[in-house]
């Protein structure tokens, strides 16, 4: 999803102009729904609002004299960017599977970018990763055996390891290049050194197919986006789409213990196609046999629209600890010096409280809120 563009006299405040110029440029193939602009450009103010943008090759865009990394969502016309320092990129290479870059921002710190899409920043990585890890861990009464699929940056893994009940974690990721990069550049890079962790450089779907039945108490799937959209409105499936299939859900269900919990990245409700996906994935999870599947929401400013969520699926709806037990377990983590900065026990319930229109869209069969994803 990485594109190099050359655009002249571009008004950055005119989204339709921006979209048309990119679509018509000889340098750009059909723009996907999440189009990354990671280009070094020279920008000069012309007539107060028009700009000249020229492409170079070190992976940065310049806007109003600022060097930035940014993402453009063609489905909604939304674009956002983060200013980076003159030293960016700190590292840039292509692994066997994807482009890997680490940039740096004065405010956000180090930024991991894969195939042109921001994965995390040091400043707000806690928002996503703490919620992805602690909500499912606290939803199980005694999470001893854990499987983490994806999450090659290691942040979810590091949060899982804060729970003293954990005896063994299998971490499965396809791209060793991401893991080695994050070991070097991020503070949680020593997570893989924990003796409770076994790292598998492998395909996540294949690993789950061969996993023993009833083995894992908690499975966390921190995967990339399963699909994108072209400007013409066509859906394009991405490699990770297999991790969202009903067949894969069946294998996950089989691999979980009787009171097992599965949590997976479930996109933002602010994009119509993602909202439709949330409803479809929840339906598939319930059809697979999970007794409950709830969408939880979190805020994270470095992700497009500032919001993303997860689907928490439980084999047994009534299983799990009381809130008193959750608070006690959290206090043990704090006393051990392993506290969180975003997650707190209150979010174990409140993160599932959604705006009315989102709740209706996800949980009702015949919603009176129109969601146009066609």
């Amino acid at each position: 999803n990485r594109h190099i563009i050359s655009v002249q006299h571009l008004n950055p405040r005119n989204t339709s102009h921006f979209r048309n110029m990119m679509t018509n440029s000889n340098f750009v193939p059909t723009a996907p729904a999440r189009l990354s602009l990671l280009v070094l450009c020279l920008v000069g103010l012309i007539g107060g609002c028009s700009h000249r943008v020229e492409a170079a090759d070190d992976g940065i865009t310049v806007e109003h004299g600022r060097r930035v990394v940014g993402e453009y969502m063609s489905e909604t016309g939304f674009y956002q960017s983060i200013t980076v320092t003159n030293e960016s990129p700190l590292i840039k290479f292509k692994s066997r599977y994807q482009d890997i870059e680490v940039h740096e921002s004065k405010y956000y710190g180090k930024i991991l970018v894969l195939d042109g899409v921001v994965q995390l920043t040091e400043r707000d990585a806690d928002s996503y990763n703490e919620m992805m890890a602690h909500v499912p861990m606290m939803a199980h009464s005694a999470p001893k055996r854990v499987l983490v699929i994806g999450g090659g940056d290691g942040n979810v893994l590091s949060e899982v390891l804060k729970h003293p009940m954990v005896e063994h974690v299998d971490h499965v990721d396809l791209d060793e290049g991401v893991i080695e990069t994050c070991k070097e550049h991020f503070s949680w890079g020593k997570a893989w050194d924990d003796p409770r962790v076994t790292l598998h450089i492998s395909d996540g779907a294949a690993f789950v197919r061969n996993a023993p039945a009833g083995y894992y108490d908690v499975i966390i799937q921190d995967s990339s986006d399963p699909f994108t959209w072209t400007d013409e409105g066509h859906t394009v499936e991405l490699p990770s789409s297999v991790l969202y299939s009903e067949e894969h859900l069946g294998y996950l269900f089989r691999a979980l213990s009787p009171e097992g919990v599965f949590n997976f990245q479930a996109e933002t409700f602010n994009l119509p196609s993602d909202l439709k996906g949330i409803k479809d994935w929840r339906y598939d999870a319930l059809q697979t046999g999970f007794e409950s599947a709830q969408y939880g929401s979190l805020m994270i400013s470095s992700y497009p629209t500032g919001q993303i969520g997860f689907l928490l699926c439980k084999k047994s709806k009534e299983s799990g600890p009381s809130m008193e037990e959750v608070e006690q377990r959290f206090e043990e983590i704090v006393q051990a010096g392993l506290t969180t900065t975003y997650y707190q026990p209150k979010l174990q319930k409140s993160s599932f409280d959604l705006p009315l229109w989102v709740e209706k869209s996800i949980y009702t069969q015949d919603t009176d809120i129109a969601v146009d994803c066609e």
Side-chain angles (χ1 to χ4, degrees):
N1 293 338
R2 185 166 181 231
H3 301 266
I4 305 301
I5 65 170
S6 178
V7 183
Q8 292 186 350
H9 305 302
L10 173 66
N11 182 348
R13 290 180 288 276
N14 186 335
T15 303
S16 62
H17 183 200
F18 192 13
R19 175 173 174 171
N20 292 336
M21 290 292 283
M22 288 193 295
T23 305
N24 295 333
S25 170
N26 293 329
F27 290 94
V28 184
T30 302
R34 191 166 287 182
L35 174 61
S36 171
L37 304 177
L38 294 177
V39 189
L40 177 62
C41 308
L42 301 176
V43 180
L45 190 63
I46 302 176
C49 65
S50 294
H51 291 73
R52 179 181 179 84
V53 181
E54 297 177 355
D57 59 1
D58 82 339
I60 309 290
T61 300
V62 174
E63 297 174 348
H64 302 285
R66 299 186 302 271
R67 295 160 55 85
V68 306
V69 291
E71 291 183 54
Y72 175 69
M73 318 295 290
S74 66
E75 185 178 355
T76 58
F78 180 85
Y79 171 72
Q80 76 174 39
S81 61
I82 300 173
T83 302
V84 297
T85 66
N86 291 331
E87 289 73 29
S88 278
L90 304 180
I91 186 172
K92 175 185 175 184
F93 69 100
K94 187 175 183 64
S95 72
R96 181 179 176 185
Y97 302 101
Q98 58 198 330
D99 292 319
I100 300 174
E101 301 174 13
V102 176
H103 297 271
E104 188 160 26
S105 159
K106 289 182 179 179
Y107 181 80
Y108 283 97
K110 291 180 181 177
I111 305 169
L112 176 66
V113 177
L114 301 180
D115 275 345
V117 177
V118 172
Q119 303 298 306
L120 60 79
T121 77
E122 285 182 313
R123 173 166 285 272
D124 63 3
D126 57 340
S127 308
Y128 173 79
N129 291 281
E130 289 181 10
M131 294 295 285
M132 282 292 292
H134 295 296
V135 172
M137 294 295 288
M138 291 295 193
H140 195 284
S141 296
K144 296 180 179 180
R145 295 184 296 271
V146 181
L147 171 62
V148 178
I149 303 170
D153 55 77
N155 206 339
V156 164
L157 174 64
S158 69
E159 294 300 322
V160 166
L161 294 170
K162 290 180 178 180
H163 291 259
M165 289 185 184
V166 172
E167 297 176 356
H168 178 77
V169 183
D170 283 314
H171 183 204
V172 185
D173 196 271
L174 192 61
D175 197 340
E176 191 171 13
V178 175
I179 294 169
E180 293 303 317
T181 297
C182 293
K183 282 183 178 180
E184 178 182 353
H185 287 278
F186 294 95
S187 60
W188 54 83
K190 296 185 182 296
W192 293 279
D193 296 337
D194 192 300
R196 294 174 290 175
V197 177
T198 300
L199 174 63
H200 306 265
I201 305 300
S202 177
D203 175 81
F207 187 91
V208 172
R209 282 198 300 271
N210 298 314
Y215 183 75
Y216 296 105
D217 299 312
V218 175
I219 299 178
I220 301 169
Q221 184 170 284
D222 179 14
S223 58
S224 55
D225 301 334
F227 61 83
T228 186
W229 282 56
T230 67
D231 270 354
E232 288 73 27
H234 303 302
T235 303
V236 178
E237 286 195 351
L238 299 176
S240 61
S241 61
V242 65
L243 299 177
Y244 290 78
S245 68
E246 194 168 356
E247 180 184 16
H248 179 64
L249 285 171
Y251 288 121
L252 289 163
F253 185 87
R254 180 183 61 83
L256 284 167
S257 58
E259 296 186 356
V261 177
F262 171 50
N263 195 42
F264 67 101
Q265 189 270 109
E267 303 296 349
T268 176
F269 55 62
N270 288 313
L271 292 179
S273 59
D274 284 355
L275 184 57
K276 182 179 183 300
I278 294 165
K279 184 171 184 175
D280 291 345
W281 302 326
R282 179 176 181 271
Y283 175 83
D284 289 344
L286 295 174
Q287 289 295 108
T288 298
F290 288 100
E291 290 187 1
S292 71
Q294 290 180 284
Y295 181 82
S297 178
L298 62 98
M299 296 178 291
I300 177 166
S301 64
S302 63
Y303 284 5
T305 80
Q307 183 275 334
I308 198 168
F310 52 89
L311 267 171
L312 183 74
C313 308
K314 299 176 69 174
K315 269 188 138 178
S316 174
K317 185 176 182 178
E318 302 303 325
S319 66
S322 65
M323 276 305 298
E324 184 179 354
E325 290 172 312
V326 170
E327 290 169 357
Q328 181 179 349
R329 284 167 56 183
F330 182 73
E331 183 60 27
E332 291 173 358
I333 291 174
V334 173
Q335 292 301 319
L338 301 172
T339 188
T340 59
T341 53
Y342 187 96
Y343 174 85
Q344 60 168 314
K346 291 178 182 179
L347 292 172
Q348 199 67 28
K349 290 185 176 180
S350 64
S351 63
F352 298 100
D353 293 331
L354 304 173
L356 180 60
W357 64 273
V358 177
E359 184 173 290
K360 286 184 175 182
S361 296
I362 295 173
Y363 294 106
T364 60
Q365 293 297 320
D366 299 311
T367 177
D368 59 355
I369 304 292
V371 181
D372 183 12
C373 299
E374 300 301 321

